[in-house]
Amino acid sequence: MSAHFPSNRNILDVLGIIFLSLCLAGVPCLALSAGGRDCLRAGDTCSSDDTCSPRLRTLRQCVAGDGSVKLGPGARNQCENAMTALLSTPLHGCQCKRGMKKEKNCLSIYWSLHQSVLHGLSLVESYPYEPEERGSDYVRLASIAAESEVTTVNRCLDAAKACNIDETCQKLRTEYVSACIQPSARSGPCNRPKCNKALRKFFDRVPPDYTHELLFCPCTDTACAERRRQTIVPSCSYEDKEKPNCLAQLRICKADYVCRSRWAQFQYDCQPSEQSASGCKQENYGACLLAYTGLIGSTITPNYLDNSTSNVGPWCSCAASGNHREQCNDFLTFFHDNICLSE
């Protein structure tokens, strides 16, 4: 008789229950993942420890594909024990820096422990990144719904001029424009992965005083709005002849450590609240803007939907969502009807 192995989904459910039980026991969910330790260093420390290292290998098998099958009939217990033990190591509470040199490596360590945490939760309680230390005068910056702030000054043109004066902004903007411009009809489409990588580099490394003025500058005419929409070169970075299904794009995103982390950050920092004066549950509109720009260059890159409004969203559709139409609409609503963004 063949052995019955629990599915990875069941194991992820169990691991998620362990995490949530700690929250119910009085430990704040956010505190469980906000220790501020570097995941790369925590991973090195664990790998050199005879007790920690085998438990981390076990947990990675638990959350990777059909890896739990290799653990044998006692897979569920092994996975539970491994996660419980690792919660008391430096791995628990470790974080990564957005745009860091080995970001993917760092995030892979984080998600080995936290992959189950987000399973089944519609809104996250934490994400892998350290709080941004980059300062910015957010009172001066225009919001996405900035039509009411428009003056006779062309803020979009001024933002472009300001970027050209700053060495870092000008250099990285030139890099992504060069990578994202389609050479010609004969030479075929642009190199989208290269374009998106350059876009992420720009928004991760250039101060928000420049990036946010370029991206969120207010417009009164369609020519200005189209220039603003073209800030991230949509024809190369994500647009196609037909819009893909949003849930398919989200699945691709969640399979990538960087995109999954950016999406988690966006959900947390841009979580709306009608009771909040800012419209944001976390009461930090600046953090929401940073999280929004973190999605640019991913499979769910958001942008202005047209050149006549300030509505934003990813280039996708829910038309072919079938029984998952409601889930798909919820995803789009987080962009289209999010008061944390629009307020």
Side-chain angles (χ1 to χ4, degrees):
M1 183 173 65
S2 61
H4 174 70
F5 298 111
S7 68
N8 274 72
R9 175 158 187 154
N10 290 336
I11 289 176
L12 288 173
D13 286 334
V14 172
L15 296 180
I17 290 171
I18 294 173
F19 179 86
L20 292 175
S21 66
L22 290 172
C23 300
L24 295 173
V27 181
C29 291
L30 184 57
L32 287 171
S33 55
R37 291 180 291 273
D38 184 288
C39 287
L40 287 174
R41 292 182 181 177
D44 289 340
T45 301
C46 181
S47 296
S48 61
D49 184 277
D50 292 339
T51 303
C52 184
S53 183
R55 286 168 174 165
L56 179 59
R57 285 198 302 271
T58 297
L59 189 64
R60 280 178 165 166
Q61 282 187 288
C62 295
V63 299
D66 60 351
S68 60
V69 173
K70 300 176 183 178
L71 296 174
R76 178 174 293 185
N77 286 336
Q78 290 184 60
C79 293
E80 288 181 30
N81 293 337
M83 182 173 181
T84 302
L86 290 173
L87 289 176
S88 60
T89 71
L91 285 170
H92 177 237
C94 74
Q95 293 175 307
C96 303
K97 187 172 181 60
R98 194 174 109 177
M100 65 189 293
K101 188 175 181 180
K102 296 184 178 180
E103 184 177 359
K104 270 195 173 181
N105 292 347
C106 186
L107 293 173
S108 70
I109 294 170
Y110 175 92
W111 288 112
S112 291
L113 185 61
H114 291 264
Q115 182 154 328
S116 59
V117 173
L118 305 186
H119 182 69
L121 300 182
S122 57
L123 292 175
V124 300
E125 295 295 336
S126 63
Y127 53 83
Y129 296 117
E130 299 173 4
E132 292 283 349
E133 296 179 357
R134 295 179 292 176
S136 183
D137 181 6
Y138 289 107
V139 176
R140 184 175 59 81
L141 294 174
S143 68
I144 291 176
E147 286 85 357
S148 61
E149 301 173 22
V150 174
T151 66
T152 55
V153 177
N154 188 328
R155 290 269 295 276
C156 293
L157 187 59
D158 286 348
K161 290 178 179 178
C163 179
N164 287 335
I165 294 172
D166 180 82
E167 183 178 353
T168 301
C169 188
Q170 191 273 338
K171 176 179 178 292
L172 295 182
R173 186 172 179 232
T174 299
E175 281 186 18
Y176 87 70
V177 170
S178 298
C180 297
I181 293 296
Q182 184 172 329
S184 68
R186 289 183 179 181
S187 59
C190 68
N191 187 328
R192 180 165 293 178
K194 183 179 179 181
C195 170
N196 283 334
K197 183 178 180 180
L199 276 169
R200 289 196 302 271
K201 184 178 178 182
F202 176 78
F203 284 101
D204 285 347
R205 298 187 183 180
V206 176
D209 279 354
Y210 297 104
T211 60
H212 289 180
E213 285 284 11
L214 279 168
L215 200 60
F216 307 128
C217 54
C219 289
T220 54
D221 58 80
T222 55
C224 173
E226 181 60 16
R227 175 180 182 142
R228 181 178 61 183
R229 196 180 77 87
Q230 291 292 337
T231 295
I232 63 170
V233 199
S235 58
C236 177
S237 61
Y238 69 96
E239 281 187 1
D240 282 311
K241 292 181 180 180
E242 295 183 4
K243 289 185 177 182
N245 179 264
C246 292
L247 294 182
Q249 296 298 89
L250 185 58
R251 279 194 295 272
I252 295 172
C253 175
K254 289 182 176 181
D256 177 82
Y257 288 129
V258 175
C259 189
R260 180 197 298 182
S261 302
R262 303 297 176 92
W263 170 238
Q265 183 180 25
F266 177 69
Q267 283 183 288
Y268 181 81
D269 284 332
C270 295
Q271 188 172 345
S273 172
E274 294 183 357
Q275 286 71 45
S276 168
S278 65
C280 304
K281 184 177 180 180
Q282 309 308 327
E283 295 285 8
N284 191 338
Y285 185 72
C288 177
L289 289 182
L290 282 171
Y292 176 90
T293 58
L295 288 174
I296 296 173
S298 73
T299 56
I300 54 173
T301 294
N303 194 17
Y304 295 94
L305 300 178
D306 50 51
N307 55 20
S308 60
T309 68
S310 289
N311 299 328
V312 298
W315 182 261
C316 64
S317 167
C318 289
S321 298
N323 295 333
H324 301 287
R325 185 65 176 261
E326 184 176 352
Q327 181 185 352
C328 186
N329 287 335
D330 287 343
F331 169 75
L332 282 182
T333 296
F334 212 83
F335 294 93
H336 296 175
D337 302 308
N338 189 330
I339 58 173
C340 183
L341 279 174
S342 63
E343 293 297 328

